[in-house]
Amino acid sequence: MPLSISPARVWREREPRYRLVGKRCKKCGAIIYPPRPACPHCGSRDLEDVELPRTGTVETYTIIYTVMDGFRHKAPLPIAIVRLDNGLDNGARVLAPLTDIDPEEIKTGMRVEAVLRRIKQDGEHGLIAYGVAFRPVLSEPRK
Amino acid sequence: MTRVYVAGVGMTKIGRHFDKGFLDLTAESAFKAIDDAGGIEPEAIVVTNMMSSRLNEQDSLGAYIAAGLGFRGKPAFKVEAACGSGGAGVYNAYLMVRSGLFNAVLVVGVEKMTDYPTSTVTAALAQAADAEYELFYGASFTGLNALMMRYYMEKHGVTRDEMSEWPVMMHSNAVSNPYAQFRRKITKEDVAKSQVVADPIRLLDSSPIGDGSAAVLLVSEELAKKMPNKPDVYIAGAWMAVDTVELTNRESLDRIPAARIAAEKAYKMAGLEPKDIDVIEIHDAFTVNGIMLLEELGFAPYGKAAKLLNEGRFHPGDRPTANPSGGLKARGHPVGTTGVYQVAEVAMQLRGDFPGLRVDGAEAGLTTNMGGDGSSLSVHILRKT
Ligand SMILES: [Zn+2]
């Protein structure tokens, strides 16, 4: 089944998806990712753009064996929720695949950094959609 | 304001109905519900369904089903809230009757899932999640629930074995339910050995793919009084709450705050507390949903539901008895109609004519239907007059 990737749709998300631009709520201080027009915590519309750090910690993860159409070549597919290093208690979370790692080595609490990876493709010669994935941090000593 | 009674209920067995389409399934449940109510003609029809557009290439579902069942010219529409569509539809019908504008509203839910390969159904179900920030990355619906399950187990120190008590109990409860998709017992060992779908979720943590339809006919007090056999079950409290579709913007990954909000409102409307509830039918698309909902609905302290379950709480004989139908796990989960099954089942428990495992003398029951991984929650509290 073709994926029918829409260039406009991918382009629209370029700032949040590739540069990890979220929102900071000026009223309650929460960091919001993905960005929303109003704060999910206090409802305020007084938000500002904030570029998030590209390193963080795996808060939870899964390894998907029964994958959806379009992801068969990626199975088993590891997906994590990463808590980014905002220096705040409520640092933003990002959901993304884990990459460059053996599924058996994945652990809650491991340090990861964001990189750009191919996520899906419209057939063999079609459009390619890229996205953020997280890999083990190379610049910090492994624990 | 008028009380809203459950005057009639109808269900189909859940399973692989390769010989039945939307109209065959809905005719069976809807006509049963209408006949159960003594033949009352509905003034409006609420159709609940999740995936007709994506899987079955059928939109206009309100018109398609209402007109197909002989209700041309009446108001009808489809209510969609992913896997929570059924409960959201009952809530809509409740509001319609409670408003005083309608005296009889039929809710009929339907889902046809078994005509397509698992990967296609998996992709359609995943649309319950955020398309740009979850679905885009290949995070299946099971995958998202797996993220919550791992977080819950690690945070609260709950073991695989303790979690497995839920599906084991569900399969045991379903054995006598003639509408259930699975009517065979399983063991904790079976759960531990079953295929990993999205680690740590295994096949026997997951509700099955199945077709089914359920219907309930809601009527006003005014109409109920005129019926030769006045219905004796009414909706005493009902509420719905939503949360962020995307998991990342929630405060915590081991909570379902929308369930707590909807339940608190519904308890208040009904003038009841969790200790007053005899029977519950709650949303366990995955083991972790059932466990977390027991906590949010006020039946177990935070982080303790699995432990209590393993001590025998919520089993047949205890109050509340959880999911005597077998729940989504074993009764089945034809996604967009599951919430209607729950209301029909609890109404029958209070009437005393549920054909499976019965909670004797039940006076008050609660249903919770969830859309997405905690993004659309509806709670209904039913009481006996
Ligand atoms: Zn805020």
Side-chain angles (χ1 to χ4, degrees):
Chain A
M1 198 176 73
L3 283 164
S4 310
I5 292 168
S6 155
R9 189 173 156 185
V10 172
W11 174 84
R12 225 165 33 230
E13 302 294 329
R14 68 201 179 282
E15 289 286 306
R17 189 176 284 152
Y18 305 110
R19 283 183 55 217
L20 292 184
V21 175
K23 296 278 185 193
R24 195 186 72 84
C25 175
K26 288 181 163 177
K27 191 174 164 204
C28 77
I31 309 284
I32 301 150
Y33 188 88
R36 294 292 182 246
C39 175
H41 307 283
C42 75
S44 171
R45 286 181 256 161
D46 194 8
L47 312 174
E48 60 184 2
D49 282 355
V50 50
E51 193 168 335
L52 303 172
R54 301 184 77 80
T55 54
T57 305
V58 171
E59 190 172 41
T60 182
Y61 69 93
T62 179
I63 298 154
I64 302 174
Y65 292 87
T66 303
V67 293
M68 293 188 275
D69 283 345
F71 290 87
R72 256 180 230 187
H73 61 293
K74 295 208 168 193
L77 172 65
I79 298 271
I81 289 181
V82 175
R83 182 75 84 154
L84 298 176
D85 297 333
N86 291 42
L88 293 166
D89 289 343
N90 59 351
R93 297 191 191 93
V94 176
L95 180 144
L98 294 173
T99 186
D100 306 353
I101 184 165
D102 184 339
E104 286 174 13
E105 289 176 27
I106 300 169
K107 282 189 176 57
T108 301
M110 73 186 293
R111 301 280 304 148
V112 291
E113 62 189 0
V115 290
L116 208 61
R117 285 289 181 271
R118 178 183 297 206
I119 301 298
K120 52 189 176 187
Q121 188 168 1
D122 258 353
E124 221 171 298
H125 305 289
L127 288 173
I128 297 168
Y130 290 85
V132 157
F134 285 86
R135 69 176 176 199
V137 171
L138 301 176
S139 53
E140 293 172 11
R142 283 230 197 178
K143 280 176 191 163
Chain B
M1 245 183 291
T2 186
R3 251 187 198 173
V4 178
Y5 286 81
V6 181
V9 302
M11 297 180 263
T12 71
K13 180 180 163 35
I14 298 171
R16 182 161 198 189
H17 293 289
F18 60 86
D19 56 337
K20 293 191 177 104
F22 279 148
L23 291 175
D24 305 303
L25 291 167
T26 52
E28 188 177 331
S29 68
F31 296 155
K32 259 192 222 169
I34 290 166
D35 294 347
D36 185 35
I40 285 176
E41 169 108 357
E43 297 166 351
I45 297 90
V46 176
V47 175
T48 77
N49 166 272
M50 174 180 177
M51 303 189 292
S52 73
S53 186
R54 166 75 189 262
L55 273 190
N56 318 89
E57 299 165 314
Q58 184 65 64
D59 284 312
S60 308
L61 205 68
Y64 181 74
I65 288 174
L69 298 183
F71 303 121
R72 292 176 66 201
K74 295 181 193 289
F77 46 82
K78 164 174 164 173
V79 171
E80 184 275 314
C83 334
S85 303
V90 175
Y91 184 60
N92 270 269
Y94 167 81
L95 298 177
M96 291 166 77
V97 176
R98 185 82 194 256
S99 76
L101 211 51
F102 295 90
N103 282 306
V105 177
L106 176 73
V107 189
V108 54
V110 67
E111 202 77 58
K112 268 299 295 175
M113 302 168 76
T114 66
D115 288 347
Y116 300 95
T118 302
S119 62
T120 305
V121 178
T122 304
L125 287 170
Q127 293 187 180
D130 184 289
E132 300 292 5
Y133 290 88
E134 294 177 334
L135 183 60
F136 176 83
Y137 289 107
S140 65
F141 197 54
T142 315
L144 293 167
N145 281 280
L147 292 169
M148 296 177 88
M149 182 172 177
R150 181 184 305 282
Y151 187 81
Y152 180 92
M153 290 171 71
E154 289 184 353
K155 181 165 177 181
H156 300 290
V158 179
T159 64
R160 168 71 264 178
D161 198 57
E162 287 169 330
M163 294 299 274
S164 299
E165 183 66 18
W166 181 271
V168 169
M169 181 172 90
M170 290 302 104
H171 274 258
S172 173
N173 287 359
V175 168
S176 55
N177 180 0
Y179 298 108
Q181 184 162 1
F182 295 133
R183 298 178 63 183
R184 57 179 170 82
K185 291 195 178 196
I186 58 167
T187 63
K188 285 186 173 181
E189 199 181 15
D190 295 331
V191 181
K193 279 185 180 166
S194 65
Q195 180 197 330
V196 181
V197 182
D199 190 50
I201 291 180
R202 288 176 179 270
L203 189 65
L204 289 179
D205 285 309
S206 318
S207 50
I209 288 170
D211 309 327
S213 175
V216 295
L217 184 67
L218 303 187
V219 304
S220 65
E221 185 153 30
E222 190 190 334
L223 181 55
K225 277 182 190 158
K226 290 182 197 153
M227 291 171 63
N229 294 307
K230 193 189 171 204
D232 60 353
V233 173
Y234 68 101
I235 299 178
W239 205 264
M240 187 168 167
V242 299
D243 202 351
T244 65
V245 168
E246 71 285 5
L247 277 180
T248 55
N249 274 324
R250 303 217 191 130
E251 283 77 11
S252 180
L253 300 174
D254 61 340
R255 304 303 298 258
I256 309 174
R260 185 163 294 260
I261 293 165
E264 279 171 1
K265 290 275 196 184
Y267 284 131
K268 199 171 172 200
M269 282 172 85
L272 296 177
E273 292 177 37
K275 66 171 173 52
D276 302 319
I277 305 293
D278 301 307
V279 54
I280 59 178
E281 285 290 343
I282 66 172
H283 192 97
D284 60 323
F286 301 98
T287 297
V288 67
N289 304 148
I291 297 295
M292 282 166 60
L293 283 173
L294 285 173
E295 296 170 8
E296 300 298 357
L297 299 169
F299 299 118
Y302 178 43
K304 295 280 186 273
K307 190 174 176 292
L308 291 174
L309 185 69
N310 279 272
E311 288 169 2
R313 290 293 326 275
F314 314 116
H315 284 250
D318 190 34
R319 299 293 167 103
T321 307
N323 295 7
S325 70
L328 283 64
K329 175 67 204 77
R331 170 242 286 128
H333 182 31
V335 288
T337 182
T338 294
V340 187
Y341 273 90
Q342 293 175 324
V343 172
E345 287 157 352
V346 168
M348 292 180 103
Q349 289 287 359
L350 303 187
R351 295 185 339 189
D353 63 354
F354 182 68
L357 179 70
R358 241 178 247 177
V359 180
D360 291 326
E363 299 274 329
L366 176 149
T367 67
T368 303
N369 188 205
M370 179 162 91
D373 33 31
S375 58
S376 291
L377 264 298
S378 60
V379 172
H380 290 89
I381 294 177
L382 278 65
R383 286 186 85 168
K384 217 176 151 141
T385 49

